[in-house]
Amino acid sequence: MIIGGGDDASINSVKFTTTQKLKRSIIHEWYDELEESIIFDKSDTNGLVFPYYDTLIITLRVLDTDVRCIMVDDGSGACIIHRRVLTQIKLEDRIVPHCITLTGFNNVVERTFGEIPLPVLAGDVTLETTFHIMDQDMAYNAIIDRPWIHAMKVVPSHLYQVIEFPTP
């Protein structure tokens, strides 16, 4: 949401000062097949200390293992997993050789050396996900991309440091 103007602005014809806008900021996401919207509110901030600038990091169940330190990157177009994760869960023999070129925001080119389809459980939904495998240094065990977020119909909130799942 972009709000312009002076110190006061209005949202849906309700006037808010800058402080009130921060206190009342609620994010709504809507999917056509759902009857209710997904809402993030102040209760989602329990345990957070503001301000912070952290990325959204989650744990997901991949195959039958909880993989921690997975970055949710809604700007990425590729799911990536580090080779050390596959080594730890003993899946090196399932790697399919396949090289793709990835370019970061700083135009650094990295190449993957394989891919692997893995079931990923999030909430109550399991989605077969193709991960591209990298052996270069990464701060995360895996990166989940925008197409995965859309396919799972989850809504990430970097502000609230959570992802919400639709309820049928």
Side-chain angles (χ1 to χ4, degrees):
M1 167 174 35
I2 298 173
I3 300 172
D7 289 337
D8 292 327
S10 66
I11 303 171
N12 295 334
S13 301
V14 178
K15 288 203 173 258
F16 292 97
T17 65
T18 304
T19 305
Q20 288 171 323
K21 285 185 284 189
L22 292 174
K23 286 181 183 175
R24 296 181 185 219
S25 76
I26 296 177
I27 300 168
H28 292 268
E29 290 285 336
W30 182 265
Y31 289 108
D32 290 335
E33 59 271 8
L34 299 177
E35 293 181 15
E36 295 183 21
S37 60
I38 295 174
I39 300 172
F40 298 95
D41 61 25
K42 189 174 179 171
S43 68
D44 290 307
T45 64
N46 292 341
L48 292 178
V49 178
F50 289 96
Y52 68 87
Y53 303 101
D54 299 337
T55 190
L56 179 55
I57 306 296
I58 61 173
T59 298
L60 291 172
R61 190 147 191 81
V62 178
L63 199 57
D64 58 355
T65 304
D66 287 336
V67 177
R68 292 176 177 82
C69 200
I70 297 176
M71 182 177 86
V72 177
D73 185 359
D74 51 3
S76 176
C79 284
I80 301 166
I81 195 163
H82 197 282
R83 184 178 194 161
R84 73 176 171 269
V85 176
L86 300 176
T87 301
Q88 290 173 356
I89 57 180
K90 298 176 177 42
L91 293 175
E92 300 102 331
D93 59 331
R94 292 183 45 194
I95 295 173
V96 177
H98 182 74
C99 178
I100 65 167
T101 302
L102 301 172
T103 305
F105 70 92
N106 56 357
N107 287 330
V108 172
V109 174
E110 300 285 350
R111 287 183 175 68
T112 64
F113 68 89
E115 64 184 24
I116 186 168
L118 295 170
V120 177
L121 175 67
D124 294 331
V125 178
T126 301
L127 181 67
E128 188 79 13
T129 304
T130 299
F131 285 93
H132 299 280
I133 305 160
M134 294 191 74
D135 209 8
Q136 292 84 350
D137 287 336
M138 287 177 38
Y140 310 103
N141 289 323
I143 298 173
I144 294 295
D145 65 351
R146 182 179 48 255
W148 183 89
I149 293 166
H150 290 197
M152 290 297 287
K153 295 186 176 148
V154 298
V155 178
S157 172
H158 296 272
L159 175 64
Y160 294 110
Q161 291 291 290
V162 295
I163 57 175
E164 295 276 346
F165 298 88
T167 53

